[in-house]
Amino acid sequence: MALPLSVLDLLPIPSGSDAPGALQDALSLVRHAEHLGYSRYWVAEHHNMLGLASSVPLAVLAAASQVTSTIRLGSGGVMLPNHAPLSVAEGYKLLSALAPGRVDLGLGRAPGTDGRTAHALRGNAGLMEEPFERQVAELVAFGTGHYPAGHPFAGIIAAPEGPGLFPPLWMLSSSGYGSHVAAQLGAGLAFAWHINPDTTQARMAAETYRRNFQPSADFPQPKVMVAANVLCADTPEEADELTRPFGLMFLRLRLGTVGQYPSVQEARDYPYTPQEQAVADAARARVIAGTPEVVTERLRTLARDVNADELILSTMTHDQQARKRSYELIKGAWDEPRQ
């Protein structure tokens, strides 16, 4: 049986469009993903990035819960140092009340933005000084109502209350750090290979996680999900062209001039210096791109090399139909019986 495939959405705002348009694209995409049989739809958290409409994943997921019925919905992830644990527990329990039995709570310790914006997000609440492990422990206590003896917040329960409302936890990792926390908690592990495409490091993180895993009610067995940037099209030439904007986006990120997600034509017309071209080309190389046969074979190799239980795919395009077509082509080829 083929490994499950899921969708990771950063909600790109295409040049010439706006945030309302990107949100409608997201709702169209999650419906399409559910129809195609993808397992999950996760939304990433980013701040101070004008080209992305994913600053508050919870709001996007709440809207997605109203236009879907079977696909799992989750954060990929909540950047916990930016938030008070009680607020996160309440928000995702409320989402679970909207979509019972199909919510995931992915947690990360990176800010999802630059340092100055992270400081603005956290204000004077002291969140920046709080150890990540302590924040996670508080989140679990608020969500479940189970506190260590003598805990100062004992008795506080994140509302709403009800059986099964606190969602399964996943820990995000791009360096291996999160594998230890995930193993100790009995949570799922989501490795951000799309950010750090080091397959050896991903495999080592997965091995560390499996070796030290402590079973939990939500995860009796360890579960590793790996994220990848993908772009699939009917021809290699089209797939290659569609990766051009991804390169320009990362170049602009490096230059500090991130705007809306560029079109293929904008990426073609940009006057790259040799150094800028190298940056853009390196970013494009991080995308698994090509025809369905090429993309799925590379994804199978990645899953095998890391010993993954699931893959979650991020596809960025300027054109919404090209993005939906990419997910459609991959799922069709992935599900085909292999000879």
Side-chain angles (χ1 to χ4, degrees), residues 77-111:
V78 169
M79 300 294 102
L80 192 54
N82 297 338
H83 307 279
L86 177 57
S87 178
V88 175
E90 288 183 329
Y92 281 82
K93 287 179 76 174
L94 189 60
L95 179 62
S96 289
L98 286 172
R102 57 188 187 101
V103 173
D104 301 316
L105 177 49
L107 303 173
R109 68 184 180 115

Side-chain angles (χ1 to χ4, degrees), residues 140-327:
V140 173
F142 287 132
T144 63
H146 300 142
Y147 291 84
H151 196 284
F153 297 139
I156 298 176
I157 299 176
E161 180 61 314
L165 287 185
F166 188 60
L169 294 181
W170 289 77
M171 299 304 306
L172 278 61
S173 175
S174 61
S175 64
Y177 171 84
S179 61
H180 297 279
V181 182
Q184 184 179 19
L185 281 176
L189 176 67
F191 191 89
W193 189 85
H194 68 307
I195 295 173
N196 176 20
D198 184 330
T199 304
T200 300
Q201 194 167 25
R203 182 174 61 250
M204 291 174 61
E207 289 172 352
T208 297
Y209 164 71
R210 293 185 189 278
R211 186 169 57 249
N212 297 289
F213 182 77
Q214 301 294 315
S216 66
D218 289 321
F219 291 91
Q221 302 293 329
K223 188 160 188 178
V224 175
M225 180 161 57
V226 176
N229 294 309
V230 298
L231 224 164
C232 191
D234 291 288
T235 67
E237 295 77 15
E238 182 186 2
D240 184 66
E241 283 288 281
L242 288 171
T243 67
R244 286 181 181 271
F246 190 84
L248 180 55
M249 180 193 71
F250 266 87
L251 172 61
R252 287 174 171 172
L253 184 63
R254 179 76 65 88
L255 297 173
T257 58
V258 179
Q260 295 178 328
Y261 195 78
S263 67
V264 171
Q265 191 62 51
E266 288 174 277
R268 281 203 203 103
D269 292 345
Y270 183 88
Y272 299 91
T273 67
Q275 294 82 4
E276 289 175 339
Q277 188 68 64
V279 171
D281 289 346
R284 293 175 68 190
R286 291 164 54 182
V287 182
I288 295 176
T291 59
E293 297 75 20
V294 169
V295 170
T296 53
E297 189 56 40
R298 289 187 62 188
L299 288 175
R300 289 189 178 98
T301 299
L302 174 62
R304 183 173 60 250
D305 289 347
V306 180
N307 191 19
D309 300 296
E310 187 170 335
L311 298 174
I312 186 164
L313 313 180
S314 174
T315 295
M316 300 272 278
T317 62
H318 183 272
D319 178 67
Q320 170 76 346
Q321 293 309 310
R323 185 160 65 141
K324 292 169 74 172
R325 178 63 173 161
S326 178
Y327 282 115

